[in-house]
Amino acid sequence: MSPAIVRRALPGWGTTYGPPGDEPFPAVMVLHGSEGAWSGWSHRHAVMLAAHGFLAFPLGFSVGGNAWNAGQIIEVPLERTVAALQALRGFAFTGQGVGLYGASRGAEHALLVASLMARDSIEGLPDSLAAHAPPDVVCGGFDARTFRDSGDPGWQAWDGAQRAWSWQGSSEGLLPTTPIEIERYDGPLFLSHGTADIMWSVAMTRRLEARLKRHGRTPEVVYMQGEGHIPSDEAENDWYARLMTFFARTLMA
């Protein structure tokens, strides 16, 4: 039996997942959250995209980390993500459309990359963008080695002095609480959030939606009623259907 999903190396960057065959496919780059590149969540999303006809590339961006440790999201250079996006666009198996998807800190990452590329007129903007449980402002750095659940005796407050991201060698323009200017991006945009999310408040997506609409943007927004940061099976099935429909409409046309 031949595999329905095959892996192909994106030289210098990592692995992709996609349907078998030599023809080009619409592509999506997947950005993980604070769980890190090794946890498997971004690869899980990539496999689901591949099962629906997309070439999916999970980019590992966390600093350090391994199969036992998520690593850090501290001073992550966003221009590296732009380079990865350009490499995916130039890949032999990539079709005309290239999308970008991120969840949680990956959603923040995706929104920042698109807004900064648009602001600085950098070629190769994603043709469409999807973000699940995104913040509306830049958040502080994250170190998995110090993470504890709320209520744990070792829990500590978020350190606003740590900077998660840098752009062109500097983090000064990306200080925590700085609004993410995603309204600069004029491509198709899909936002989703669980209304019972206690890790990243749904209020952040509501603020993003309101700001986008004030600037004349028309994002597709899905609020998953009663769902947390990680949706239930039934809710996730419905969410995947909406996400795949969005990318099919915006990348396969």
Side-chain angles (χ1 to χ4, degrees), residues 186-197:
D186 63 0
L189 183 60
F190 176 96
L191 302 176
S192 57
H193 214 128
T195 61
D197 191 337

Side-chain angles (χ1 to χ4, degrees), residues 73-154:
I73 302 178
I74 297 176
E75 298 280 353
V76 172
L78 295 174
E79 61 271 17
R80 177 178 178 270
T81 305
V82 175
L85 193 63
Q86 293 168 340
L88 179 61
R89 194 177 288 278
F91 190 39
F93 293 93
T94 297
Q96 206 167 19
V98 175
L100 182 61
Y101 165 74
S104 195
R105 296 308 298 262
E108 176 188 358
H109 189 158
L111 296 179
L112 280 171
V113 165
S115 62
L116 290 168
M117 289 180 72
R119 185 195 71 184
D120 294 352
S121 301
I122 295 175
E123 292 185 5
L125 271 163
D127 297 298
S128 60
L129 190 156
H132 177 67
D136 60 325
V137 299
V138 177
C139 299
F142 172 82
D143 187 341
R145 294 172 300 182
T146 63
F147 177 77
R148 298 290 185 276
D149 288 324
S150 178
D152 186 287

Side-chain angles (χ1 to χ4, degrees), residues 58-244:
L59 174 69
F61 65 83
S62 50
V63 180
N66 51 42
W68 298 269
N69 190 305
Q72 303 172 341
I73 302 178
I74 297 176
E75 298 280 353
V76 172
L78 295 174
E79 61 271 17
R80 177 178 178 270
T81 305
V82 175
L85 193 63
Q86 293 168 340
L88 179 61
R89 194 177 288 278
F91 190 39
F93 293 93
T94 297
Q96 206 167 19
V98 175
L100 182 61
Y101 165 74
S104 195
R105 296 308 298 262
E108 176 188 358
H109 189 158
L111 296 179
L112 280 171
V113 165
S115 62
L116 290 168
M117 289 180 72
R119 185 195 71 184
D120 294 352
S121 301
I122 295 175
E123 292 185 5
L125 271 163
D127 297 298
S128 60
L129 190 156
H132 177 67
D136 60 325
V137 299
V138 177
C139 299
F142 172 82
D143 187 341
R145 294 172 300 182
T146 63
F147 177 77
R148 298 290 185 276
D149 288 324
S150 178
D152 186 287
W155 182 87
Q156 52 190 283
W158 176 53
D159 185 356
Q162 286 191 334
R163 301 176 185 182
W165 318 104
S166 69
W167 178 247
Q168 308 297 355
S170 174
S171 60
E172 290 305 310
L174 297 169
L175 301 181
T177 74
T178 301
I180 300 174
E181 298 178 328
I182 191 54
E183 64 271 14
R184 293 180 179 274
Y185 174 73
D186 63 0
L189 183 60
F190 176 96
L191 302 176
S192 57
H193 214 128
T195 61
D197 191 337
I198 61 173
M199 184 171 292
W200 292 105
S201 171
V202 68
M204 298 188 294
T205 290
R206 296 193 193 281
R207 290 194 296 264
L208 275 175
E209 179 186 15
R211 181 148 50 85
L212 284 161
K213 289 181 174 179
R214 286 198 302 270
H215 285 83
R217 306 295 188 220
T218 55
E220 181 178 339
V221 186
V222 174
Y223 292 110
M224 305 163 72
Q225 296 301 319
E227 296 295 327
H229 199 63
I230 299 174
S232 63
D233 292 350
E234 184 177 353
E236 186 179 60
N237 289 337
D238 178 70
W239 172 83
Y240 267 128
R242 293 171 181 265
L243 181 71
M244 301 304 172

Side-chain angles (χ1 to χ4, degrees), residues 3-28 43 46-47 49-51 53-58 87-88 91-95:
I5 297 171
V6 298
R7 291 177 59 180
R8 302 177 180 90
L10 181 60
W13 290 100
T15 193
T16 68
Y17 300 85
D22 295 330
E23 69 270 26
F25 305 97
V28 179
H43 290 258
V47 167
L49 285 159
F54 299 93
L55 177 74
F57 167 48
L88 179 61
F91 190 39
F93 293 93
T94 297

